[in-house]
Structures are given as structure tokens and as C-alpha cells.
Amino acid sequence: MTDAAFSALASLADPSLLLMLAVGVLAGLVIGLIPGLGGTGAVAILLPVTFGMDPEPALAMLIGALAVVHTSDTVAAVLLGAPGSASASVTMLDGYSMARQGQAKRALSLAFLSSMAGGLIGAVGLTLAIPLARPMVLSFGSPELFMLTILGVSLAAVLSRGNVVKGLTAGFLGLLLGLVGTSPTTAEERFSFGSLFLSDGVSLVAVALGIFGLAEIASRVGQRTITEQPVELTGGWGSGIREWLTHWTHVIRGALIGIWAGVLPGVGATAGTWLAYGQAVATAKDKRKFGKGDPRGIVGPESANNSVEAGDLIPTFLFGIPGGVPSAMLLGMLLTYGIQPGPAIVTEHLDLMYLIVWAFAIASVAGAFLCFLATGSLAKLTKVPFAVLGPGLLVIMLLGAFQEGGQIGDLWVMVLLGVVGFFLKATGMPRAPFLIGFVLAIPMERYYYLTANLYDGVSWMARPGVLVFAAVLVVPVLWSLVKRLRGTAGQADDGHRDEHEADDDHGLDDLEGSMAGTTWSAALAAIAALVFAGALWLSGSFSEEAALMPRLVAGGGLVLALVLSWQELRTRRGRPADAPAEPVADEPLGGGGTAVLTRPATVVDTKALTRQRDLVIAGRTFAAMATFLVLVMLGGYLAATLVFVPAFLLYAARARTRTAIVYTLVLGVVLLALPSLLPVDLPMGVLQ
């Protein structure tokens, strides 16, 4: 094992690996600055670039980006009070306050060093997990691996914020989408409707980029300006570094909390940072300075959000269960390379595991160093409105989705899933269980098929490992029920604070859950029920072996969707009646008299107006995406980009003409150069 570790370190002396690691670090730093993208956006944008590479440089690039994305997202949080990701909103509480007091450099140095330490401690945790978990992983059979896949989807849904039924419904929708294509057990086509394109299944990149990337663009493209005046980059780097050394215990505690949050599927960086912040407040003797520029409110959360990503990799690689969305995409990438996470990766690709550990550690140090050097330049990027960044990101994402299968159909699927992702986000249905379910659908079916054929009846359920995983699955559900009962019994607030509160408080993302409890969320639940019912009906035409998993997924999903529909109806019935009519101001009548009119006053519902505005902007954005695809099919990708991007910048982003021209030319040159630099193909049009 030691030999494998040093062999992996020696392999990083290869210039091509170091180059890919450096590219990943730089890309991760830039993507971290753009609000809403975070680790998910970093992996989603870079994943298509890795097609055609060997697994080692591809992983070096992706791990490099993932390790630093939470280092740079602090810059906007401290300087603008607008965090680059939800997890950085915690740092904003004390970091922005400190910056407004003229100590921005002090706050940033505390954050950068804590991020670096969190990444290093996370890499150590990943290193220790390999020998500790190796004997257990090697003892797993197909029943334990099948239970692990169920555990991955269920925990991601149960531990996600918000309604558990919504999380489970999203997970079942992802599982159902993952079953589209050829059955791995009988080679029979399912849910393909006779389409050759769908017989290969839906592309992972199209799903990830659509559900997260395009949905994010559609929801944020309306943010045209940065209204907050940035603070000056003043204060001392040295004082921050010296002060950071005095808070080393908070750094270690925050990192350990982050690793724990990363190991649990669906918890994520945001919950991990809030937990780290909560423990810092709870254990402090003097709590008065928290939220007013206290360094303890920076070091703990910043240490946690980097170690979360390392913690995510532990269940992903050792058990094949992704802890979060970025790790789900990494898992999908490994599967495309034929590398099976779990027992196989521990026995056959141990050097690859240690390469990941070294890459994570080196990237953490390099990311912090580069942030110290380039904070002034990086901060300028945070001033660019998202509407201006949007068309460039869209062109890159769609091009990335094309690289996996080389079919225009993947781009249409991606846009369609972008619409689905937008409504999932707006109605408060967590998207992480959806993607994790999609990735685990085929492994779950394969392990169940092996289990059913190797064991008689349900005897496999009596295996100790299966019983342990079943207990882990049941305990959170029971805990959720206990909390619900305590809540209905009028218990006092236990101090827990979920992400919705954080987002609402700081205005990071107004769309998240803004349509929950409305007609839109009720309609989404009804559509989900129809989809599951249709899948259940279609599965009747499959053979018994091919229909087994679709029936289980469609049947379970239908029950959950019906429960969700009932919850939506009950919520709407439980709403208070509209406010009574109020008299309007007196109006003069003819003959010099006045009278009080009794028609109701027009009450401005700001939430409804905001929802309407979000829907209009999202509708226009998705229509623009569809128009772009039509242009691609007619004239090819480069020509479509040269027409679409300036039009979008001028009419949607209200950009200056000179900016639109320069932006388009730069993007065109990049597209022209890409095929000669990377294994990238540009889609061709019928007129070419």
C-alpha cells in the first residue's frame, strides 16, 4: 500500500499530469467565483473536456478543480457580500463585516489558509480511509453492494433539505431515467420507443449539465447588474496569517466536521459549513462578536467546505456511493472508463486512489497560493453580470454535452432536462437525489440481478452487512418521524438552521423553493405521478427479467408521487382565506359630494410578481437555447455561436456593442482552436 502511494506521487512528475492538474486548479478558481456554479459547475464544465484522455490526467484535472472551487468562492463573499456558492454564505457573515471595517486582506488570508488546511486534512482523511475500509470493502458481496446503492439514493433524499417525500420522488425519477436504454441483464430495449438514440441510454453529461448547469443559467440570467459597491482590498495579509495560527483548533474541528458531512450522502458543503459555524458559536465563551467580523466565524466554515469535497470521495470511490453531485459525476466518469468503484478499485486501481489523494493535497496548497497572488484580478470577474457570462457558459456546456455521444439529440435532451431542473429547483425538490439515482440505476439493477440469481429467495437479507445497511437506512427515517412528532407537539426551536433560511437571509438565490406550495409544485407532483404510471404500464411489455427493476422503481415512485400530490393538496387547503376587501380612498362624486367605495384594494403580491418575472426570464432563456440549437442544426456550431452570442448579449444582457463584438470574436477564436488543442468535435449543420 505504501508502495502504491509513493508510486502515485512519482507519477505526478509526469509533465502532462501536472499540466492537467494546473488547468483544473485554474478552472476551479475561476468557476468558484461565478455565483451558482460551485463544485457541480466545475466538474460539469470540465467533464466533457476529459473525453479521449486517459483516466489519470482526467482525474487530475477534475480533482484539481474540485479541491479549489471553495477557496476562490470566498473572494466575492468577502469583497462583495455576494457569495460564489451557498457554502460561502456562511463565511460572508463575518468575512464581509471584517472587510467593511477595512480588513479585507485579513479576512481573505484567514479564509485561504483555512481552505488549504481543510483540503490537506481532508486528503489525510481520505488516505486513512483506504486501509481502514479496505478489508470491509473486500468482504462485500452483491447483496451488500445492492443495499449500498439503495442506501445512496435514500440517504441523499432523506438527508437533503426540505420535504423527504420530495427528495425520494426526485431520487426515483433519476432511477427511472437511468433505466432508459438497453437492459444490462437481457440486452432488451426499455423506454426507447423504438429510437436508436435512446437505446444507448441518456448521456450522463447531458443530465448533469441540464439539471444543474442550464437550470442555473436560466435562473440567474436575470441578474444583470451587481448593485453592491465592493469594499476596498485593504488590511494586512500578515496579521491574518498570524491570527490564523492562533485558531488552529477551530480549523481542525471544522475540517473533521466537513469530512463527516461529506461522507453522508446528500448533506453537502453548505450543511457542513453551517455545522462548523454552529459548533464554533456553541463552544465559544464570548459569542458577541460572531457575525460582526469574528475570525472564528471564518476559519471553521472555510476549513469545513474544502474537507467536505474530500469526504465526498470516501464513499464514492470505496463503496461506489456518491456523497454529492460532483462526486456522482466523477463516479459516472469512472464507469465510462470501465473502472468500477468499490472492491474493484481498491484491488485493481489502488495507485489511482492515491493519485487522487496527492492531487487533492497539491491542488489545495496551489489554490491558496494563487488566491493570495491574484485576489485583486480575480475580484474583477465577480463584477461581471451573470447575463453576460451566460451565453459563453451555454456554448461551452452544450459543446461539452456533444462530445460524449457526438449527437445533436443529446443537446435537445440537455435543454429539456434544463427545464426540468429549473422547476425542480423552483419548487424545492432537491436535485442531488435525482442525479445520484440516475448514476446508480444500472449498478443497482446489476447487483440485484446477481443477488437474485446467487441466493435462494430472500435469504440474502439475513446477511450481517445487509442488516447493518438496512438499519442505517431506517434510523434517519425514524429520526425524521420523531422530529415531525416533536414539531407537531409544539416543541421549541432546536436551533437547526437549514439552507433555505440561509439563502433567504442573504439573498444568495431567490429562486430556490420560491414556487413550493403553489400550483406549479402541485402540477409537478401530478406530472411525476403520470410519468411513473406510464412507466409502470410500459414495463408490462418487457420480459420478466427486464421488467423487474422498472416495475419496482415505477411502482415505488408512483406511491411517493401520489403522497406528494396529497401533501400539495393539503397544503393548499390549509391556507388562510384571502384578506377581506379594504376600502379605497374616497373619490369625488358629481355634485361636490364624496363617497367611500367598497371595491377591494389592489394588494401587490411581491412574491407572485417575482415568480412571474422568473418564469418569463426562464422561458425566454430556454427559448433562446432552443433557437441556438436550431441554428446549430442549420449552419453548424461556429456559425450559430457567431449569430446567437452577440444577439443574446445585446438584447438580453443589454451589453455594449463593443463588448458583444469582442466577446463573440474571442469565443469564436476559442472554438476554432479547440479541435486542434483537445479531442473536441464541433457539431456540423445541414447547410455546411
Side-chain angles (χ1 to χ4, degrees):
M1 195 169 286
T2 307
D3 294 340
F6 283 105
S7 173
L9 179 61
S11 68
L12 279 171
D14 184 345
S16 63
L17 275 184
L18 280 179
L19 177 63
M20 290 300 106
L21 182 61
V23 170
V25 169
L26 291 174
L29 290 176
V30 172
I31 293 171
L33 289 166
I34 302 173
L37 297 184
T40 301
V43 178
I45 291 172
L46 291 179
L47 187 60
V49 181
T50 63
F51 295 146
M53 294 183 184
D54 291 330
E56 292 81 3
L59 276 173
M61 179 188 287
L62 296 178
I63 294 296
L66 199 57
V68 303
V69 74
H70 290 303
T71 305
S72 62
D73 66 4
T74 312
V75 175
V78 171
L79 296 182
L80 296 177
S85 70
S87 63
S89 62
V90 189
T91 309
M92 185 184 69
L93 295 177
D94 289 284
Y96 188 52
S97 298
M98 197 178 286
R100 290 177 67 88
Q101 297 165 19
Q103 299 174 337
K105 288 184 177 179
R106 176 183 164 218
L108 287 173
S109 58
L110 287 166
F112 294 156
L113 290 173
S114 300
S115 294
M116 180 189 70
L120 291 174
I121 294 172
V124 171
L126 183 56
T127 305
L128 295 176
I130 295 173
L132 292 177
R134 193 168 187 252
M136 183 173 63
V137 172
L138 292 177
S139 69
F140 284 177
S142 56
E144 287 81 7
L145 293 171
F146 171 65
M147 284 300 297
L148 273 175
T149 56
I150 294 178
L151 198 64
V153 179
S154 303
L155 281 184
V158 171
L159 297 179
S160 296
R161 58 190 179 185
N163 189 327
V164 173
V165 179
K166 282 187 174 180
L168 290 172
T169 305
F172 273 79
L173 282 171
L175 283 171
L176 189 62
L177 186 64
L179 294 175
V180 173
T182 306
S183 165
T185 56
T186 63
E188 184 179 343
E189 291 186 8
R190 299 178 303 195
F191 306 122
S192 64
F193 306 102
S195 165
L196 190 63
F197 168 69
L198 288 178
S199 65
D200 290 334
V202 183
S203 159
L204 168 67
V205 177
V207 175
L209 288 176
I211 290 292
F212 287 92
L214 296 194
E216 212 62 48
I217 289 177
S219 64
R220 293 185 179 275
V221 79
Q223 301 170 357
R224 293 179 182 169
T225 58
I226 301 293
T227 56
E228 190 74 19
Q229 183 65 31
V231 298
E232 296 296 326
L233 187 60
T234 56
W237 295 114
S239 63
I241 295 172
R242 288 190 296 273
E243 189 173 19
W244 177 79
L245 293 172
T246 65
H247 294 294
W248 62 273
T249 56
H250 287 280
V251 173
I252 294 175
R253 277 186 283 173
L256 294 178
I257 290 172
I259 293 173
W260 175 75
V263 169
L264 293 176
V267 175
T270 306
T273 50
W274 277 109
L275 286 170
Y277 188 82
Q279 70 83 27
V281 175
T283 57
K285 293 180 180 178
D286 183 7
K287 302 177 174 59
R288 290 174 297 176
K289 293 183 180 179
F290 279 100
K292 302 174 183 176
D294 194 312
R296 295 170 296 180
I298 299 175
V299 294
E302 278 302 308
S303 177
N305 64 15
N306 278 55
S307 63
V308 162
E309 302 299 345
D312 268 358
L313 299 179
I314 294 174
T316 303
F317 290 114
L318 294 181
F319 303 105
I321 306 301
V325 176
S327 52
M329 286 187 276
L330 282 176
L331 182 63
M333 188 208 76
L334 288 175
L335 292 174
T336 60
Y337 280 111
I339 300 173
Q340 185 69 43
I345 199 171
V346 175
T347 54
E348 301 170 10
H349 303 283
L350 192 59
D351 54 340
L352 200 62
M353 284 289 303
Y354 283 110
L355 174 67
I356 291 167
V357 172
W358 286 114
F360 200 96
I362 293 171
S364 298
V365 176
F369 180 71
L370 289 174
C371 279
F372 272 113
L373 289 180
T375 294
S377 302
L378 291 174
K380 294 178 182 176
L381 187 60
T382 62
K383 302 176 185 176
V384 180
F386 196 88
V388 175
L389 297 173
L393 290 172
L394 174 68
V395 169
I396 294 171
M397 288 181 180
L398 289 174
L399 182 60
F402 181 77
Q403 303 312 308
E404 187 175 10
Q407 301 190 62
I408 293 289
D410 285 330
L411 308 188
W412 285 105
V413 169
M414 185 173 156
V415 173
L416 181 63
L417 289 173
V419 177
V420 174
F422 174 84
F423 281 105
L424 289 178
K425 178 179 180 179
T427 56
M429 191 174 285
R431 292 172 290 171
F434 183 94
L435 186 61
I436 292 175
F438 174 79
V439 171
L440 292 181
I442 295 302
M444 181 185 291
E445 182 171 15
R446 187 179 294 120
Y447 291 134
Y448 183 73
Y449 181 78
L450 289 172
T451 302
N453 282 278
L454 292 174
Y455 295 85
D456 293 329
V458 294
S459 61
W460 59 272
M461 297 185 72
R463 288 171 64 93
V466 174
L467 293 174
V468 170
F469 293 138
V472 174
L473 182 63
V474 170
V475 167
V477 177
L478 293 177
W479 177 241
S480 176
L481 290 174
V482 169
K483 283 203 302 182
R484 181 180 290 271
L485 291 174
R486 288 177 60 193
T488 54
Q491 292 288 327
D493 182 12
D494 61 0
H496 172 73
R497 181 172 183 164
D498 69 12
E499 294 177 28
H500 283 302
E501 289 179 78
D503 292 351
D504 291 344
D505 287 351
H506 309 301
L508 174 65
D509 192 345
D510 294 332
L511 180 69
E512 184 82 49
S514 63
M515 297 181 190
T518 66
T519 306
W520 291 100
S521 60
L524 190 65
I527 291 172
L530 289 175
V531 169
F532 285 124
L536 193 60
W537 178 69
L538 286 174
S539 63
S541 61
F542 306 151
S543 66
E544 281 301 315
E545 290 181 342
L548 183 59
M549 188 57 69
R551 281 177 184 165
L552 288 173
V553 171
L558 180 59
V559 172
L560 287 165
L562 290 175
V563 171
L564 185 59
S565 301
W566 174 75
Q567 287 183 344
E568 292 287 344
L569 289 175
R570 193 180 63 169
T571 302
R572 295 179 66 78
R573 286 178 182 172
R575 281 185 178 173
D578 293 337
E582 295 178 4
V584 297
D586 295 349
E587 291 183 7
L589 294 176
T594 59
V596 176
L597 303 182
T598 55
R599 65 178 172 82
T602 302
V603 180
V604 179
D605 187 343
T606 54
K607 288 187 177 181
L609 291 176
T610 303
R611 281 200 299 270
Q612 187 178 1
R613 172 184 170 274
D614 290 339
L615 285 170
V616 170
I617 292 175
R620 288 175 180 170
T621 306
F622 283 119
M625 292 178 189
T627 304
F628 177 63
L629 291 187
V630 172
L631 291 174
V632 170
M633 295 174 72
L634 291 175
Y637 207 78
L638 182 60
T641 300
L642 296 179
V643 173
F644 169 76
V645 170
F648 189 94
L649 289 173
L650 291 172
Y651 295 104
R654 302 286 192 269
R656 296 177 181 174
T657 305
R658 188 176 64 177
T659 302
I661 293 173
V662 173
Y663 190 120
T664 306
L665 289 178
V666 170
L667 199 56
V669 170
V670 170
L671 289 179
L672 274 176
L674 270 181
S676 57
L677 298 174
L678 295 168
V680 170
D681 295 321
L682 299 181
M684 305 294 285
V686 294
L687 300 180
Q688 285 183 299

